[in-house]
């Protein structure tokens, strides 16, 4: 007999297992799950802390600083704090003027290191807390009491998710591009205020939840009843975040491989005729995060985008966020990013489309906006 605790300490994964970004940032310890989902996968509950609370955003208060890695971002915008800028200057003068090679007693070179500033210590503290899930055993809900006392309701997002799944279930995990898009929504909050929004491939719903703090109505869509149940649970867990602005999130099924909305009243998460009419009459924003990992699904997504935007009453802006994942392939005998290349080619085809009905323009968004959630904003995003 194998000890179950030992199995949890030394997990093994099949060759088709995909690990989420959340899992990669977990401390090395045993993980106790909240529950098993309908297909027997462990479900975890994580707290994701907002560096600015929704109350601060609503009131326009900019009071907290964010430091991640070598990049230092301030809540007031893109500029470095004057204090830190002067510290950097002084440190450069200290280390750059008349520094001679110092040798120890054995003749080895002693490296003069820059003094650690307060911002470095703050960055280290943030990195310690990066996207670490809070895990509890089923039936031990009171384990969250301490965390709830430390975190106010307005600056924490609770998300149920899995950590390792086959490729077809990656929507049940949390990915960095969803955080990036959420950051942009919070940065451009006024742009999305009172909008009607459609998210394609919403997954766990974290981006729709953030959008729901500003937009009037969000249709969060994906496929698969088990995933949609999880998404709806996450919306319910964070209902308090949408209440101040009166935002509403509706979880619906939308299969990119089908040409029509699911309107079967017997099917869970189907669309009513009124909801379809509302979407087509009022939707002005469509978004998707980290859904470009399979070429066939990428093609299906762009066909769905064309079909929906063709039927919208108003012009629409589509926001796409993704992470370029580099892999070594035997076919190229080199490190490539085939999924991203296919995405770019399909995006170019859409922009060059000339059918006399629709015109699309593509603009990249600079990633110099403030960071509102604690995660690693890598250059591949």
């Amino acid at each position: 007999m194998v000890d179950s605790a030992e199995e949890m300490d030394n997990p093994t994964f099949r060759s088709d297992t995909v690990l989420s970004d959340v899992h990669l940032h977990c401390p090395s310890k045993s993980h106790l799950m909240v529950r098993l989902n309908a297909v027997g996968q462990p479900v975890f509950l994580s707290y994701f802390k907002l560096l600015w609370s929704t109350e601060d955003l609503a009131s326009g208060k900019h009071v907290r600083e964010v430091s991640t890695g070598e990049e230092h971002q301030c809540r007031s915008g893109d500029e470095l704090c004057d204090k830190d800028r002067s510290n950097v200057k002084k440190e450069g003068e200290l280390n750059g003027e008349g520094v001679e090679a110092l040798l120890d007693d054995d003749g080895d070179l002693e490296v003069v290191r820059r003094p650690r500033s307060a911002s470095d210590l703050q960055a280290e503290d943030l990195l310690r807390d990066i996207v670490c899930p809070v895990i509890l055993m089923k039936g031990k809900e009171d384990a969250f009491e301490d965390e709830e006392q430390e975190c106010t309701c307005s600056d924490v997002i609770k998300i149920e998710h899995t950590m390792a799944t086959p490729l077809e279930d990656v929507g049940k995990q949390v990915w960095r591009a969803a955080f990036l898009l959420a950051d942009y929504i919070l940065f451009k909050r006024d742009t999305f205020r009172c909008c009607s929004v459609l998210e394609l491939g919403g997954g766990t719903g974290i981006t729709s939840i953030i959008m729901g703090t500003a937009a009037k109505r969000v249709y969060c869509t994906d496929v698969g009843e088990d995933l949609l149940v999880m998404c709806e649970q996450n919306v319910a867990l964070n209902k308090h975040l949408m209440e101040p602005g009166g935002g509403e999130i509706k979880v619906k099924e939308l299969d990119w491989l089908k040409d029509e909305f699911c309107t079967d009243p017997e099917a869970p998460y189907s669309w009513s005729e009124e909801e379809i009419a509302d979407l087509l009459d009022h939707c002005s924003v469509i978004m998707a995060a980290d859904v470009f990992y399979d070429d066939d699904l990428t093609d299906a997504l762009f066909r769905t985008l064309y079909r929906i935007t063709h039927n919208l009453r108003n012009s629409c802006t589509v926001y796409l966020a993704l992470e370029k994942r580099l892999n070594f392939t035997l076919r190229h005998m080199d490190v490539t990013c085939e999924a991203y290349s296919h995405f770019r080619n399909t995006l170019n085809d859409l922009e060059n489309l000339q059918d006399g009905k629709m015109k699309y323009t593509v603009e990249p968004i600079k990633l110099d906006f403030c960071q509102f959630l604690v995660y690693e904003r890598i250059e591949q995003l």
Side-chain angles (χ1 to χ4, degrees), residues 184-256:
Y184 185 76
I185 293 166
L186 291 170
F187 182 68
K188 291 287 188 179
R189 184 181 177 86
D190 290 341
T191 301
F192 304 107
R193 198 175 301 279
C194 299
C195 286
S196 183
V197 181
L198 169 66
E199 181 174 14
L200 300 174
T204 60
I206 186 169
T207 310
S208 282
I209 291 168
I210 292 295
M211 179 63 84
T213 65
K216 177 181 179 181
R217 182 173 293 113
V218 181
Y219 290 97
C220 181
T221 67
D222 215 308
V223 65
E225 183 176 353
D226 193 46
L227 173 57
L228 294 172
V229 167
M230 176 187 289
C231 182
E232 190 172 51
Q233 168 69 3
N234 288 332
V235 171
L237 285 172
N238 298 279
K239 189 176 181 180
H240 61 282
L241 295 177
M242 282 80 76
E243 287 176 347
E248 177 187 20
I249 299 178
K250 294 191 173 186
V251 178
K252 297 292 176 182
E253 178 182 325
L254 183 56
D255 191 340
W256 306 341

Side-chain angles (χ1 to χ4, degrees), residues 16 20 30 45 80 158 176 198 250 265 272 290-291 300 311 314 344:
D16 62 345
S20 72
S30 298
L45 179 63
L80 286 170
K158 304 175 189 177
R176 272 188 289 251
L198 169 66
K250 294 191 173 186
S272 68
D290 232 332
V291 296
N311 290 302
N314 305 307
R344 290 296 310 183

